[in-house]
């Protein structure tokens, strides 16, 4: 089991550029989550999918953020245009079930710096 | 809505001693799960221990145990025989089982633990 795989590990981009973060969940996990971690706001849930369908995107900061899950093995989080305040660590996590005691397995995160 | 509170921004412990990291929660869900994660300086999130709200016994995983007091809505993490490698940020988190809260994992602010030699 390779775990949750995120790419890239680090991304430095200029303000105004489009950024795409990628995630491959654990095979067989049917829930996928995108979190953002900053010093000021801690860990925030941005969006989650169940069986590839977005269930709750209320945590997405604004229209500049979008997420897709075209199939069970791949998800993207896109920021367009990026701004310096988007600088954070973005985690993807997957879970085998929507409810109860199934914990999340986190990827290693993508550290995004927007200059 | 779910809320997790960790009131200890930082904690210090001597190597080989036990330490308790506090966590209180608030939820309207009749059933829920409580988790602890460790985040070392390298940044990854490592699952440590899980407690279900209807579990009769407190959860234990090696040197980690969860002191679950349902009436007080607390789920403190106890680390026994601290090691230098335990120095990290520790997050308490909750997951409900109903509705849309049934999937979201809500995190506390975290406690930075430092183990001194």
């Amino acid at each position: 089991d390779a775990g949750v795989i995120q790419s890239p590990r680090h991304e430095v981009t200029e303000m105004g550029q489009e950024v795409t973060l990628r995630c491959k969940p654990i095979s067989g996990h049917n829930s996928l989550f995108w979190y953002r971690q900053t010093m000021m706001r801690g860990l925030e849930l941005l969006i989650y999918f169940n069986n590839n369908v977005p269930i709750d995107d209320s945590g997405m900061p604004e229209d500049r953020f979008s997420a897709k899950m075209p199939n069970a093995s791949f998800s993207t989080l896109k920021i367009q245009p990026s701004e310096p305040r988007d600088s954070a660590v973005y985690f993807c996590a997957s879970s085998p079930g929507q409810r109860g005691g199934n914990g999340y397995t986190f990827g290693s995160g993508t550290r995004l710096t927007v200059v | 809505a779910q809320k997790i509170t960790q009131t200890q921004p930082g904690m210090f412990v001597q190597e080989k001693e036990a330490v308790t990291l506090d966590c209180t929660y608030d939820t309207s869900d009749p059933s829920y799960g409580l988790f602890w994660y460790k985040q070392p300086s390298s940044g990854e999130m490592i699952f440590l221990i899980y407690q279900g709200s209807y579990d009769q016994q407190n959860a234990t995983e090696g040197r980690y145990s969860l002191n679950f007091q349902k009436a007080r809505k607390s789920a403190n993490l106890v680390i026994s025989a601290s090691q230098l490698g335990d120095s990290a940020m520790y997050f308490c988190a909750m997951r409900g089982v109903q509705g849309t809260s049934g999937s979201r994992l809500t995190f506390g602010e975290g406690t930075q633990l430092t183990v001194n030699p």
Side-chain angles (χ1 to χ4, degrees):
Chain A
D1 185 351
V4 176
I5 300 173
Q6 289 187 248
S7 63
R9 288 296 306 275
H10 302 275
E11 177 81 29
V12 180
T13 190
E14 292 185 346
M15 181 174 63
Q17 296 298 307
E18 177 180 295
V19 175
T20 299
L21 311 182
R22 297 172 176 80
C23 176
K24 176 179 169 55
I26 291 174
S27 177
H29 284 194
N30 59 7
S31 295
L32 182 139
F33 308 81
W34 283 100
Y35 278 86
R36 178 172 69 176
Q37 185 178 31
T38 61
M39 288 294 292
M40 292 296 295
R41 300 175 68 90
L43 278 154
E44 306 171 275
L45 178 66
L46 299 178
I47 185 170
Y48 76 86
F49 297 84
N50 191 52
N51 293 325
N52 311 339
V53 176
I55 302 300
D56 183 357
D57 64 355
S58 60
M60 296 286 263
E62 48 197 273
D63 291 345
R64 297 185 297 106
F65 286 69
S66 63
K68 294 182 179 180
M69 191 166 186
N71 56 61
S73 60
F74 184 66
S75 177
T76 59
L77 177 67
K78 186 176 294 186
I79 309 172
Q80 167 64 18
S82 58
E83 297 182 2
R85 60 192 167 122
D86 302 331
S87 297
V89 179
Y90 291 81
F91 285 103
C92 175
S94 69
S95 171
Q98 190 177 13
R99 299 170 188 269
N102 295 309
Y104 293 26
T105 301
F106 281 77
S108 299
T110 295
R111 183 174 295 276
L112 174 66
T113 304
V114 183
V115 297
Chain B
Q2 299 178 331
K3 184 174 173 59
I4 295 283
T5 302
Q6 295 180 253
T7 57
Q8 306 155 314
M11 287 284 286
F12 295 86
V13 65
Q14 286 298 123
E15 194 177 8
K16 301 181 183 177
E17 293 186 351
V19 62
T20 298
L21 306 184
D22 293 343
C23 173
T24 58
Y25 61 89
D26 191 22
T27 181
S28 56
D29 285 342
S31 179
Y32 47 88
L34 296 154
F35 302 80
W36 278 91
Y37 283 82
K38 173 183 178 181
Q39 187 176 41
S41 58
S42 53
E44 68 266 34
M45 295 287 287
I46 303 168
F47 167 73
L48 294 179
I49 194 167
Y50 166 78
Q51 177 84 44
S53 60
Y54 285 107
D55 292 345
Q56 295 296 315
Q57 306 238 356
N58 285 346
T60 60
E61 289 286 348
R63 294 185 300 109
Y64 304 109
S65 61
L66 202 153
N67 183 3
F68 180 48
Q69 298 187 46
K70 193 172 183 178
R72 300 180 63 179
K73 294 189 174 181
S74 72
N76 299 338
L77 177 70
V78 180
I79 305 174
S80 63
S82 298
Q83 302 172 355
L84 296 179
D86 294 335
S87 294
M89 182 71 85
Y90 289 81
F91 291 97
C92 180
M94 164 185 285
R95 180 177 190 170
V97 293
Q98 292 187 1
T100 56
S101 69
S103 284
R104 71 175 51 240
L105 202 59
T106 301
F107 285 88
E109 305 91 338
T111 296
Q112 180 67 48
L113 176 67
T114 301
V115 180
N116 294 316

